Amino acid sequence: MAVSGFNQVTLAVSNLDRSFDFYAGVLGFSPVVRWSTGAYLTAGNLWLALVAGDGPGMRAKNNYSHIAFSCAEGEFDKLVENLQSAGHGAWQENRSEGDSCYFRDPDGHKFEIHRGELASRLADMKREPSAEFEYF
């Protein structure tokens, strides 16, 4: 039982427009979808999620930046059980498609184990279309 690789990197950003322009325009990430409080971009196999933070200072307790890992089919429940029994409780409840467990490592870094991928997230978003979403 183990994680199988990176799933996504999520960064809380203080200015979504500036960050979107930086990652897409300066670094050459490919835009996938953008909305008023976030955006998904890709670079190769990397899924980058930008999420508008809580303004100046990006206070650590409210900062949504985290790294998500994938896991093999059938491994999610065991990993969550191991995290809970080791005292690594959730820093947030899951509100997105797919199974997710949000946890901190011993130094307080934020992580997620997520069953899903960018394609399944986009399909879920398209089930409840919004004029706010700008797809590329």
Side-chain angles (χ1 to χ4, degrees):
M1 169 266 328
V3 299
S4 60
F6 285 107
N7 184 277
Q8 73 197 250
V9 173
T10 299
L11 299 176
V13 299
S14 60
N15 182 310
L16 183 62
D17 291 334
R18 183 182 64 207
S19 294
F20 184 89
D21 291 346
F22 173 77
Y23 285 99
V26 176
L27 294 181
F29 278 66
S30 298
V32 178
V33 62
R34 182 178 174 169
W35 61 100
S36 64
T37 60
Y40 295 148
L41 303 96
T42 59
N45 292 328
L46 173 63
W47 167 14
L48 176 65
L50 301 176
V51 178
D54 74 338
M58 302 285 294
R59 291 175 295 199
K61 74 175 192 164
N62 295 326
N63 190 325
Y64 189 64
S65 297
H66 66 279
I67 295 173
F69 300 109
S70 294
C71 64
E73 190 68 32
E75 297 287 321
F76 181 82
D77 292 336
K78 182 65 176 163
L79 283 166
V80 171
E81 182 181 307
N82 285 354
L83 285 164
Q84 290 172 343
S85 65
H88 296 278
W91 55 271
Q92 109 164 3
E93 296 298 318
N94 184 27
R95 294 184 297 268
S96 62
E97 63 72 44
D99 293 325
S100 284
C101 174
Y102 298 86
F103 64 97
R104 292 179 190 265
D105 73 1
D107 291 307
H109 299 109
K110 293 179 181 177
F111 292 96
E112 171 188 6
I113 296 172
H114 180 68
R115 283 196 336 196
E117 55 193 29
L118 178 56
S120 61
R121 178 70 52 85
L122 293 172
D124 185 65
M125 291 169 72
K126 289 178 180 179
R127 279 194 269 290
E128 294 186 35
S130 169
E132 180 181 19
F133 297 143
E134 177 185 358
Y135 292 91
F136 297 89

